[in-house]
Structures are given as structure tokens and as C-alpha cells.
Amino acid sequence: MNGADLLARTLLDEGVDTCFANPGTSEMHFVAALDRHPQMRCVLCLAEGVVTGAADGFARMVGRPAVTLLHLGPGLSNGGANLHNARRARSPVVNVVGDHASYHLALDAPLTSDLDGIARPFSDRVLRLAPGDDVAAMTRDAVRSSRSGPGVTTMILPADVAWSEAASPVPATPSAPERRGCDAAGLAAAIELLGNGDGRTAIFLGGAALRADMLALAGDIAAATGAGLWCETACARIERGAGRIPIRRLPYPVDMARDAMADYAAIVLIGARAPVAFFAYPGKPGRILPAGCTTLDLAGPTEDVAGALNGLASALVRDRTPPAVPALPDAPGGTARLTSDAVARIVARRMPEQAVISDESITSAPGFFGYSQGAAPHDYMALTGGAIGQGIPVATGAAVAAPGRKVITLQADGSAMYSLQGLWTQAREALDVVTVIFSNRSYRILQHELRNVGATAAGPSANRMMSLADPALDWVALARGMGVEAARADTVAAFDDLFRSAMARPGPFLIEADTTAD
């Protein structure tokens, strides 16, 4: 048994059975080892950003890590943006990154880089194997570290460690991630804040607190106390829809976010951090909460949110409150030109039960979250770290993790170009993903931000940097080139027909929604 075999075997022993890969020469022994361990599902991705984004989407759905296989420093760098998003989503991910043989590094070959330095900004922990190390023990450590954070652990595998003989592993005792218990003093303070019933306290949720059972507790607490119930803008995953507790999502624009929080005198954080603006804007504060607002961090993102919510419910809730079922939006129809709002309404009405939404629509579908609260029960995943190019890869990983569930990607056209190679993986793996491209042919978010930061009026040079119209992207042709069937719609009726048809058939499909009429 060589080091690569032992690595593969230990990953499987730790429950890691899916590998998203884009390997190179230094990883060939690990590729061969994976071939000898068919229990590991290996999914080839044509770009490293798809590899890392798919691992993120997989982890969000199942709560355990997939492993990525990346090639040296440049490969890890190419995957860095979606590792940034995975860290912000608090997704457990284990990166295996090949490196030159340890004795070859001194020669400074063309692909030599500061791999450890490249890994650190995108990783919660970095481990480097060396000749003679206990490969099994370090692999177990990497997986358990990723789960306990949860977070991104990068393990660097030099080629000579992979090909050298390794000792047989010692059976390990399975372990579950530990979570710090809810602090009694903090719980008492939260009960006092919420118990006054003045309606000026908000409960602000993130992470595991956004699962349906936890939301049910939070909804009962809010109903019993009159507290506001909010979640993070960049939420990794929410279980929502008809029969589940409605929750308000903090708006992205800083002025809207501050207005939403303006009347609260206290906020109780459960699974979330205190909200801040995505960017600094001239003359505007970076903190969203009003001055003097009491902030109580009852349970952080890696702590015992279930204990916190159960403790509050035991003290404050006397009767269960059935969730209200918001009405679905009207179904637009006819031959009117297609708009992004019409797309959002149709998707909310037509998506099936247990659909999974990967939303990177950016500015194109701000109404979808509200429209879909009364939709069929579903999971919703947002862009977490702000690094664009997440939507298609996260949908790809989610479809691998949740076979039998329809995955729907709401995707802005500009950010889709960062990772469109994910469509090829969807075709190869026959994944049940429907991608809706909002084709407005611009970086519309930048047009908004130009105004928000108070920059001078845009001239020809600035406008060209925010336009995708010359030449226009042909998403039908691009999808077909990746092996995915596709069609275009420019009227409400045409989109409705295409989307209904896509919901009724399995496999990948792309709809280019021409929303230039917006």
C-alpha cells in the first residue's frame, strides 16, 4: 500500500465518498489509487472553480465533506474564489492538492510555487504531508477538522509521499463534531431581552438555525414574544416554503438593510454574526445595526444552535404557532416581453416539491425570495462570499448530493461565464439541473454600485466595462457546446412553457431568459 492508497482508504473510512477532481501529473498516483477504491465516486470538472464550488454545494446539502483533487499552486489558485464562498458558507471541504516530490522543490521547476501560502487565505487549516508522516492519522485529522469547524481544510500531498510505501492504518474510533453548549448566562440574558414583548428585539439566524426544525422553534419564539425574525443576506442554505416558518432576509443594499434594522433596540444572534455592509460607501456606516442596539451573541455559527433555540423555546413558548402560508404570486402570462420579475414569479409557482435552488441571480431576481415563501417546500442556497461564479458549480454539487431532487439554478449571465464548464459536468453525470440564465447582457450589479459609491457619471469607457452586448453571449449555443440541451425565451408565455417542460423531464437543461426588456 502506498501513501495515495492509504489516503483514499482513510477518506472512505471517515465517510468521505465523493471526489470532485481536476488532477495533473503530481496527482497521478492518487488518481490510480481512486481507481482501486471504486466506493469513491469521482466527478471530473473542467475547471478548478467548478471543483471547489461543487464540493461546497455537496457539503451544504449533506453536511459532510467531499474531497477535491487539485493540481499544485496554480490549480488551487484557480479554485480559490469558490473556496472563499465555501468558507463563508461554513461548508466542510477537504482539499487534496498535489505538490512536487519533496526533493524536487529545491530545483524551482516551472510549476513550483508557495503552495502553503496560496492555501492559507482560502483554508481554515493547512496540513502538509512529508515523507515518513502517518498518512492515515493526518487524513483523519484533516477530515475531522473540516467537520468540526466546519470549514475548509487543505492537505498538501507531495508526489513522493503518494508513491512511497505506507504503513497499514490503525483502526480509528469514529468521532462526532463537538459543539460548545449554550452558555447559561447568555441564555438568561436572551430570555430577558425577548421576554419583555415590546417588539423591539430581533432574532437573527444563520447556519444550522435555518433548517426547518430549528426555524419552527424560532417561529414559535418570535410569535410568543413579538420579536422580529431575520436571516443573513448571504445564507448558505434555508429549508423553506409552504408549511415552514417564513423568515425575512436582510436586504443587500446598505440603505435598505439599515432601514430594516432601524427600530430594533436589541438583536439576538443564533448561528450568525452581526450584520455589516458588503462594502464601504462614502458617508455611510459599515455597521447595519443602529447605534446603541444591544447585540447578544447567544450561539455562534459553529456552536450549539439547537441548544440555544430549545432553551429559549422552553422558557418563552406556551403554545405552538402554525406557520402562515403566504400566497403565491400571480402567474404572469401572454405574449408580453419577458422580465426578470416574471421569471421569478413563474419559477416560484412552477417549481416542484423538494426542489433545490442555487441562486446567483445577483440583481436580476430580488423578488424571488419573497415570492417563493409560499412555494412548494424547497431548499434555497445563496451566494455566500460574494465571489461570483458560484451558482452553476454549487448546483452541480447539490445535484450529486441529492439525487431525485430537481435542482434549479437562477444565474446572472455575467457571473455564469466564470464557471460555465460546470454545465459539461452536469451533462456527463446526467444531473437533474435546470439552469435559468438571466440574459440582460450586462454587469448590472456594477451599474448599481457605480451610483452607490458616488462615482462620476459613466462615460463610454466605463459603460463598455459593464456591457456584455458587443458581442452578445449566445447561451443556447454555449450550453449545447457543453452537451446540455437549451432553448431561449423572450416572452412570458415562452418562458412559462419552457420552464414547465423542464420541470417535467429529467436531466440537465438550460433556459436563456432574454430579460433585456427590464
Side-chain angles (χ1 to χ4, degrees):
M1 182 181 296
N2 63 26
D5 280 300
L6 186 51
L7 173 58
R9 177 172 164 178
T10 307
L11 287 168
L12 287 165
D13 286 346
E14 289 292 319
V16 180
D17 59 7
T18 304
C19 177
F20 297 98
N22 190 281
T25 303
S26 302
E27 296 76 47
M28 286 298 102
H29 281 84
F30 189 48
V31 169
L34 292 173
D35 199 52
R36 292 188 287 270
H37 292 80
Q39 310 95 311
M40 181 76 74
R41 180 178 181 179
C42 298
V43 180
L44 178 64
C45 304
L46 300 186
E48 291 90 342
V50 179
V51 170
T52 53
D56 179 14
F58 181 95
R60 293 195 203 187
M61 292 306 300
V62 300
R64 57 183 171 83
V67 63
T68 74
L69 180 55
L70 301 167
H71 182 45
L72 300 171
L76 179 62
S77 297
N78 287 340
N82 275 329
L83 287 177
H84 168 81
N85 289 328
R87 285 191 72 203
R88 289 295 180 173
R90 306 176 191 100
S91 295
V93 175
V94 175
N95 297 313
V96 172
V97 186
D99 199 5
H100 291 300
S102 52
Y103 57 81
H104 195 69
L105 289 171
L107 302 180
D108 194 26
L111 273 170
T112 303
S113 63
D114 179 8
L115 180 48
D116 302 69
I118 293 168
R120 287 189 190 101
F122 304 116
S123 309
D124 296 284
R125 191 174 180 199
V126 180
L127 302 172
R128 173 179 280 274
L129 288 159
D133 281 344
D134 185 334
V135 174
M138 290 186 70
T139 304
R140 283 195 297 270
D141 189 21
V143 175
R144 295 180 184 187
S145 175
S146 176
R147 291 172 56 222
S148 64
V152 176
T153 298
T154 297
M155 187 162 55
I156 298 169
L157 177 66
D160 52 338
V161 175
W163 71 51
S164 296
E165 185 176 350
S168 297
V170 176
T173 303
S175 68
E178 294 184 4
R179 295 283 183 266
R180 183 177 73 82
C182 186
D183 177 68
L187 183 61
I191 291 168
E192 183 177 357
L193 281 174
L194 290 162
N196 65 28
D198 66 359
R200 298 197 63 212
T201 299
I203 303 169
F204 194 72
L205 303 180
L210 296 175
R211 302 298 178 265
D213 55 346
M214 296 294 100
L215 273 172
L217 288 171
D220 288 340
I221 296 162
T225 63
L229 191 59
W230 293 84
C231 72
E232 297 173 307
T233 307
C235 46
R237 177 182 163 210
I238 308 179
E239 294 179 342
R240 60 195 305 271
R244 294 170 175 172
I245 295 296
I247 189 168
R248 287 177 285 181
R249 183 181 175 203
L250 190 71
Y252 166 81
V254 63
D255 291 330
M256 292 175 64
R258 285 183 58 78
D259 288 345
M261 294 286 109
D263 294 332
Y264 290 115
I267 186 168
V268 178
L269 304 173
I270 304 176
R273 295 173 177 162
V276 297
F278 264 65
F279 300 101
Y281 297 94
K284 298 179 182 181
R287 299 186 186 278
I288 297 299
L289 300 177
C293 182
T294 299
T295 302
L296 178 59
D297 189 355
L298 182 57
T302 64
E303 295 171 351
D304 183 14
V305 300
L309 286 165
N310 276 293
L312 292 175
S314 295
L316 297 168
V317 176
R318 298 293 172 264
D319 298 301
R320 296 300 308 272
T321 303
V325 181
L328 280 168
D330 294 336
T335 58
R337 284 294 306 274
L338 187 62
T339 65
S340 56
D341 187 71
V343 170
R345 289 171 180 268
I346 290 168
V347 173
R349 290 191 67 90
R350 306 290 187 208
M351 64 185 188
E353 277 200 29
Q354 299 307 314
V356 179
I357 306 295
S358 174
D359 185 2
E360 196 182 13
S361 57
I362 314 293
T363 58
S364 295
F368 175 78
F369 192 84
Y371 295 152
S372 58
Q373 184 59 66
H378 62 281
D379 283 48
Y380 175 89
M381 299 185 293
L383 174 62
T384 48
I388 64 175
Q390 173 191 283
I392 292 172
V394 162
T396 302
V400 171
R405 298 179 66 175
K406 180 72 76 173
V407 179
I408 301 166
T409 312
L410 302 178
Q411 181 64 63
D413 54 355
S415 52
M417 288 300 293
Y418 283 61
S419 51
L420 64 90
Q421 302 93 331
L423 297 174
W424 182 90
T425 299
Q426 293 175 13
R428 170 184 260 214
E429 301 291 323
L431 300 177
D432 197 5
V433 182
V434 174
T435 303
V436 177
I437 298 288
F438 289 87
S439 184
N440 58 35
R441 299 176 186 170
S442 67
Y443 284 125
R444 189 159 291 172
I445 183 67
L446 296 184
Q447 294 171 349
H448 291 305
E449 293 299 283
L450 188 75
R451 295 190 295 271
N452 289 342
V453 299
T456 56
S461 294
N463 283 329
R464 279 182 62 82
M465 284 189 277
M466 291 179 275
S467 171
L468 305 178
D470 184 20
L473 297 167
D474 185 342
W475 278 100
V476 173
L478 288 167
R480 289 174 178 169
M482 295 283 175
V484 172
E485 291 186 58
R488 180 182 292 107
D490 61 4
T491 67
V492 172
F495 179 82
D496 196 18
D497 287 344
L498 281 173
F499 191 75
R500 277 193 287 185
S501 174
M503 292 299 100
R505 47 157 285 174
F509 191 82
L510 181 142
I511 303 172
E512 181 178 357
D514 182 345
T515 57
T516 52
D518 281 351

